């Protein structure tokens, strides 16, 4: 049973993106609303820096849209930090009702599905956002930054970024469908190869979508996974090929797009909740709004591990949620 | 703007509860579906013990209802562990689409709101569950169990428990309304007094609900907060009184109900995502189904801190989500 969720009247009315220095210097650098060179965002800790990143991103979204916080029925948010404190502290003090989500790096797509469902249900404006921060993620998941640990070739670099979306009953980008992913476990145990862990989940969701809707990759201008990175993206292509689907030129990955792999020494590319969120808000939404992209699929990809489960030698379960976005132009 | 979410056709068709030894020996012990004396649930780590607790709770729910996993459109889950691994590992291998939530101890109520919205939207059965485990929580948030740390008088004991709910278009318990909470920060910094941190959020949500619906405490047989504990519950009562609302005899707290405070030496009572989840699934649902409770409000209460934010001296933001449940009898 594949349950495609269809939305009749939900649009991305406005969008905003905030990123750090490396993302600002990457190929998409011109398009983010805010590029901040101070990785601390004026705060004393990496965790509060990430909260401030998200707070600013929501503020910019409200300013761009002209909508007041008091007219927002709900904000959904999520990040990678333990107990999702970046999102909670970002929203604390705003008086906007808050739902916390945890989908690891799939949170942007998860938030769009939950946010669109709630916007439709409530008949009100809803904000969805997702963030990650290189320094807070390194500190939590890997090594203290000062240690200067070597990274393996398949490792990805956590994006310092936030993307936020105002979901409403009008706009130039229509959210038309959603598909919630199943947890897939490809028996990967290497926490430095999360692309490989997430590829089976991405392929599973794509296959369920194509079979259920009778569509194929050629029906879309863009099919973008969230943060599979170089290895994971190749694996996803191969898995789709094995199932008889050639993904073609529309297939891309936000984690590969956000950095110039050669010039920026980013190994397998970007990752983190903020990767697909900032690339979608900074790049894809602009092209959808202008009609340069007519139809796209965003497949948020999340590795559902923790440092503890990795240390215990557990395999990495992963999930991928799909959202279909269409230009109204 | 208060946005009460109204559900026309969502019911708790079935429910299941699994708990550990202390909860099984408490005043509600007779009513849980599974009482497990092995705190490891046959697993090698506390984290996987919690995952197994939730896996069994979902299995019992499916068995009680006679519904097959393949007919479930979605499962929403959440817990207190870093990156919510208990929920992810519980669902991994089931092939049921999964949405991860993080609302700290408010996750049971959050899951009911999101789950009911999605069940209505998709026209399909949805499962919501939430769990916590004393040993995985102590290990992660406080001290190694072997250390035998003294607990402060206001501290609460994390419930080893899971509650799961099958949300469908028929049943004897109707989910009629939901209200998503705003983040409230009462400037509490003591991570051993989370009841005090959560009381302002509970009072805020209750006041928004009563004012918006024109109801008062006497309109309900039960008004149950999730896990305020003894101190937090008294504070919530006082905050409501200050706003001119006498909560009366219907007002209770799952964290106070689940243990016999005197006999079981549980200080301020129970806490954790599994507290309100197991008490609702083990106790309230049974009484709603029999018609012994006609109308109740469940207010899930969550403290949105992490160990890091507490160590950094940050205050504890909190949130409270409300669900109205009605007996069809």
């Amino acid at each position: 049973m594949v349950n495609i969720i269809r939305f009749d009247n939900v649009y991305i009315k406005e969008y905003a993106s905030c990123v750090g220095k490396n993302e600002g210097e990457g190929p998409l650098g011109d398009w983010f609303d805010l590029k901040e060179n101070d990785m601390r965002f004026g705060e004393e800790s990496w965790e509060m820096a990430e909260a401030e990143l998200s707070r600013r991103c929501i503020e910019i979204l409200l300013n761009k849209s002209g909508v007041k916080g008091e007219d927002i029925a709900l904000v959904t948010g999520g990040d990678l930090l333990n107990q999702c404190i970046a999102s909670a502290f970002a929203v604390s003090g705003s008086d906007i009702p808050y739902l916390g989500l945890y989908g690891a790096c799939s949170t942007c797509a998860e938030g769009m599905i939950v946010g669109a469902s709630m916007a439709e249900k409530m008949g009100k404006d809803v904000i969805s956002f997702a963030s990650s921060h290189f320094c807070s993620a390194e500190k939590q998941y890997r090594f203290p930054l000062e240690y200067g640990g070597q990274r393996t070739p398949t490792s990805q670099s956590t994006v310092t970024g936030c993307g936020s979306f105002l979901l409403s009953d009008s706009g130039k980008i229509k959210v038309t469908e959603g598909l919630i992913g199943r947890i897939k476990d490809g028996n990967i145990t290497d926490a430095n190869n999360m692309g490989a862990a997430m590829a089976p989940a991405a392929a599973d969701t794509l296959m369920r979508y194509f079979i259920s809707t009778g569509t194929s990759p050629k029906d879309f201008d863009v099919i973008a996974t969230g943060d599979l990175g170089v290895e994971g993206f190749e694996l996803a292509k191969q898995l789709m090929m094995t199932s008889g689907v050639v993904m073609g030129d529309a297939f891309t990955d936000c984690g590969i797009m956000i950095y110039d792999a050669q010039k920026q020494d980013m190994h397998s590319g970007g990752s983190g909740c903020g990767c697909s969120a900032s690339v979608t808000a900074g790049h894809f939404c602009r092209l959808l709004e202008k009609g340069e992209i007519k139809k796209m699929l965003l497949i948020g990809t999340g590795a559902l591990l923790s440092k503890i489960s990795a240390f215990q030698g557990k395999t990495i379960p992963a999930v991928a949620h799909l959202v279909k976005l269409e230009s109204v132009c």
Side-chain angles (χ1 to χ4, degrees), chain A:
Chain A
M1 183 176 70
V2 177
N3 292 291
I4 308 289
I5 304 167
R6 295 202 165 78
F7 301 107
D8 294 325
N9 195 36
V10 185
Y11 299 80
I12 297 177
K13 189 176 192 172
E14 193 53 87
Y15 47 89
S17 54
C18 299
V19 298
K21 188 168 183 289
N22 282 336
E23 296 72 21
E25 290 172 352
L28 308 177
D30 286 348
W31 310 114
F32 300 115
D33 292 301
L34 175 73
K35 291 176 275 187
E36 173 62 68
N37 287 334
D38 170 18
M39 287 294 271
R40 289 197 185 270
F41 287 74
E43 295 290 326
E44 290 186 350
S45 70
W46 298 131
E47 292 79 15
M48 292 305 127
E50 186 174 340
E52 175 62 12
L53 159 74
S54 295
R55 198 198 60 75
R56 287 192 203 173
C57 192
I58 295 167
E59 188 174 73
I60 292 168
L61 180 73
L62 291 173
N63 286 342
K64 281 174 79 174
S65 66
V67 174
K68 289 180 184 160
E70 64 213 53
D71 294 323
I72 304 294
L74 167 66
V75 54
T76 80
D79 58 83
L80 293 172
L81 297 186
N82 297 343
Q83 288 72 59
C84 303
I85 51 168
S87 302
F89 279 85
V91 176
S92 184
S94 78
D95 261 359
I96 307 176
Y98 171 74
L99 278 186
L101 305 177
Y102 186 75
C105 307
S106 73
T107 302
C108 173
E110 175 176 358
M112 277 194 200
I113 295 172
V114 173
S117 301
M118 299 307 286
E120 206 173 66
K121 172 79 190 156
M122 298 167 88
K124 305 273 180 176
D125 289 358
V126 169
I127 289 175
S128 288
F129 75 96
S131 74
S132 53
H133 189 298
F134 177 76
C135 303
S136 62
E138 286 297 305
K139 172 182 165 183
Q140 179 177 285
Y141 286 108
R142 297 176 191 94
F143 301 106
L145 288 176
E146 297 81 355
Y147 176 73
Q150 288 285 321
R151 294 160 60 227
T152 64
T154 55
S155 72
Q156 295 170 248
S157 186
T158 306
V159 165
T160 300
C162 179
S164 60
F165 306 89
L166 178 64
L167 301 161
S168 187
D169 59 2
S170 67
K172 289 182 176 168
I173 305 166
K174 195 165 184 186
V175 184
T176 52
E177 291 176 342
L179 177 59
I180 296 166
R182 306 188 288 193
I183 298 181
K184 291 285 141 185
D185 192 327
N187 286 314
I188 302 287
T189 54
D190 180 1
N192 288 311
N193 195 358
M194 287 201 278
M198 298 189 291
D204 181 65
T205 298
L206 278 168
M207 283 308 299
R208 288 170 68 216
Y209 182 80
F210 288 142
I211 291 170
S212 161
T213 57
T215 57
S216 74
K218 65 177 168 34
D219 295 314
F220 302 93
D221 303 315
V222 171
I223 301 172
T225 47
D227 58 346
L228 292 181
V230 176
E231 274 73 20
F233 184 66
E234 284 306 314
L235 280 171
K237 266 201 279 196
Q238 287 174 28
L239 285 169
M240 293 303 288
M241 187 89 81
T242 310
S243 300
V245 177
V246 178
M247 289 303 294
D249 291 340
F251 196 36
T252 187
D253 179 70
C254 300
I256 296 174
M257 294 172 67
I258 196 163
Y259 300 123
D260 184 321
Q262 314 246 290
K263 284 189 197 155
Q264 294 189 287
D265 186 28
M266 288 302 185
H267 297 245
S268 260
S271 66
C273 301
C275 181
S276 59
S278 62
V279 170
T280 302
H283 179 67
F284 292 130
C285 279
R286 182 178 54 88
L287 298 179
L288 283 158
E289 198 166 61
K290 289 163 74 179
E292 293 180 21
I293 295 174
K294 292 288 187 193
K295 287 184 190 179
M296 78 167 276
L297 300 178
L298 171 69
I299 302 98
T301 41
L304 302 171
L305 80 167
S306 78
K307 203 161 73 171
I308 289 277
S309 71
F311 284 170
Q312 289 173 353
K314 291 284 167 190
T315 53
I316 303 174
V319 74
H321 305 301
L322 177 150
V323 180
K324 183 178 171 190
L325 302 174
E326 295 186 55
S327 175
V328 176
C329 292

